[in-house]
Amino acid sequence: MSTATTRATARGPQRPAPGELQSVWLVAEREIGSKLRSKSFVISSAVLLLLALAAVIWGGFAANSAGDDRIPVAVTSSTEGDVRDVPGLEVTVADSADDATALVRDGSVEAALVPDAAGGAFSYKVVADDSAPTDVLQLLQQTPNVELLDPAGAIDGALRYLVAFGFGIVFFMAATTFGATISQSVVEEKQTRVVEILISAIPVRALLAGKVVGNTVLAMGQIVGLVAIAIIGLAVTGQSELLSGLGSPLVWFAVFFFFGFVLLAALFAAAGAMVSRQEDIGATTTPLMLLVMAPYFLVIFFNDNPVVLTVMSYVPFSAPVGMPLRLYLGEAQWFEPIISLAILIATCLGAIWVGARIYQNAILRMGARVKLSEAMKG
């Protein structure tokens, strides 16, 4: 028996190298474990979930408090008798049906009871601005006809802003937090030369894929937690109308967020591979940060602009915010989210290819920042 054979026997049988899928999962487990052991990550995640819960509870409390006040309505001399004995209404008598309708238009009252020229079972009808005044109808013993002055504006402006802010801030915070974490992790591994040890055992593409998968699992865990809190909180606080409108958009938001985050994660990892020091990371990640910030500010300032929202819903970097908001507002056709998702998935695959190429070509290069053209050429 040779000396080499004797040494191999003494060490015992060698383990076979892990397969590519196994390598991806090993790296993903490492990423997930390191984050879950980080006190800052656990605390920040808990604070985010608590803030979401507090926002839902506050919204329900505000809605219930508003329901305790008397509801302002306008009537005419001929319909005043129909609400004279109804508690909970603050009645304003207008000179005519047109005057009562004008009070609805300018927001002075929530609804108006005016004579119904069409006749029927009731001598009056309820006129409202953009949605049926359920709180008024519940106080009436019978339900008359309802006429809407502006059916297209069915979503209240404040509610529109809050929903837009919610989608925008969740995507912004998750993408920036985990994206920055990925790029910083890549640079740290380059600085400490740990990456040289890692890629001697597993393929470079498996290392990149594991980082993307691990951080995507963590980000989606936060999104699922936020969606669950929103659904349960809205149901418990009695905000059934808002819950029914948000159900489908929340599901679409989770789907769009998944592919949007994978797209950004691959690019953030590539951006980290192009530098060798933490001090230089801002030079490569700033363009990506701007891409993440743009949807947030656009949806805040232009949530009432259908043209801007339509464009946002088809641009891959803003589709995770723009399309769910349009679905909530009822401005998107049934086929539009499917087309938008197909565009996002195609862009995501392209970003993964570009990110993998940059990562493979730049991950072992130390010293000065690697230029994008050099990283693409190899």
Side-chain angles (χ1 to χ4, degrees), residues 271-295:
M274 294 170 65
V275 297
S276 302
R277 301 186 308 165
Q278 294 287 354
E279 295 83 356
D280 300 331
I281 199 170
T284 56
T285 58
T286 297
L288 296 176
M289 288 293 186
L290 294 176
L291 287 176
V292 175
M293 292 171 62

Side-chain angles (χ1 to χ4, degrees), residues 2-3 20-22 59 136 146 152 170 178 186 223 290 376:
S2 65
T3 304
E20 188 161 340
L21 289 178
Q22 186 181 4
V136 175
V146 177
V170 169
F178 287 99
V186 172
I223 295 301
L290 294 176
M376 290 297 297

Side-chain angles (χ1 to χ4, degrees), residues 53-357:
L53 179 61
V56 173
I57 294 175
W58 176 83
F61 175 77
N64 293 331
S65 298
D68 296 335
D69 298 330
R70 292 195 301 166
I71 304 168
V73 297
V75 298
T76 63
S77 57
S78 60
T79 61
E80 181 182 5
D82 295 301
V83 295
R84 182 178 299 142
D85 299 326
V86 177
L89 295 180
E90 181 181 344
V91 179
T92 299
V93 181
D95 295 333
S96 65
D98 291 338
D99 292 338
T101 302
L103 292 175
V104 176
R105 290 186 185 277
D106 63 23
S108 300
V109 297
E110 183 170 336
L113 279 68
V114 300
D116 190 357
F122 300 94
S123 59
Y124 65 92
K125 62 182 177 181
V126 175
V127 178
D129 186 18
D130 50 30
S131 61
T134 55
D135 47 359
V136 175
L137 297 176
Q138 289 173 357
L139 295 176
L140 301 175
Q141 294 182 353
Q142 297 174 312
T143 305
N145 294 328
V146 177
E147 177 184 332
L148 299 181
L149 301 176
D150 183 20
I155 303 298
D156 178 75
L159 189 58
R160 172 195 290 260
Y161 178 84
L162 288 175
V163 173
F165 177 79
F167 284 141
I169 194 64
V170 169
F171 181 75
F172 171 73
M173 291 184 62
T176 53
T177 300
F178 287 99
T181 300
I182 292 173
S183 56
Q184 290 169 2
S185 172
V186 172
V187 177
E188 182 181 353
E189 289 174 352
K190 288 187 66 173
Q191 280 185 312
T192 58
R193 302 281 184 171
V194 171
V195 67
E196 298 176 7
I197 300 174
L198 292 174
I199 63 175
S200 66
I202 60 177
V204 177
R205 58 180 177 271
L207 178 59
L208 172 62
K211 287 183 174 296
V212 172
V213 170
N215 284 275
T216 301
V217 169
L218 291 169
M220 288 303 300
Q222 283 193 353
I223 295 301
V224 171
L226 290 171
V227 170
I229 285 177
I231 293 175
I232 296 174
L234 291 173
V236 171
T237 55
Q239 302 179 75
S240 56
E241 184 176 351
L242 179 57
L243 177 60
S244 61
L246 272 176
S248 176
L250 283 175
V251 175
W252 277 108
F253 175 71
V255 174
F256 273 87
F257 178 88
F258 173 80
F259 291 102
F261 182 83
V262 171
L263 184 157
L264 290 169
L267 296 181
F268 270 106
M274 294 170 65
V275 297
S276 302
R277 301 186 308 165
Q278 294 287 354
E279 295 83 356
D280 300 331
I281 199 170
T284 56
T285 58
T286 297
L288 296 176
M289 288 293 186
L290 294 176
L291 287 176
V292 175
M293 292 171 62
Y296 170 69
F297 288 109
L298 286 173
V299 82
I300 292 299
F301 294 114
F302 297 99
N303 62 81
D304 57 349
N305 190 317
V307 176
V308 174
L309 290 182
T310 301
V311 174
M312 286 181 60
S313 63
Y314 286 100
V315 176
F317 293 99
S318 59
V321 177
M323 184 55 75
L325 179 58
R326 289 186 64 219
L327 289 169
Y328 171 71
L329 298 175
E331 297 177 357
Q333 300 294 326
W334 66 268
F335 57 85
E336 290 192 70
I338 300 175
I339 297 175
S340 177
L341 184 61
I343 295 173
L344 176 58
I345 292 175
T347 308
C348 180
L349 294 175
I352 291 174
W353 181 84
V354 172
R357 185 172 181 84

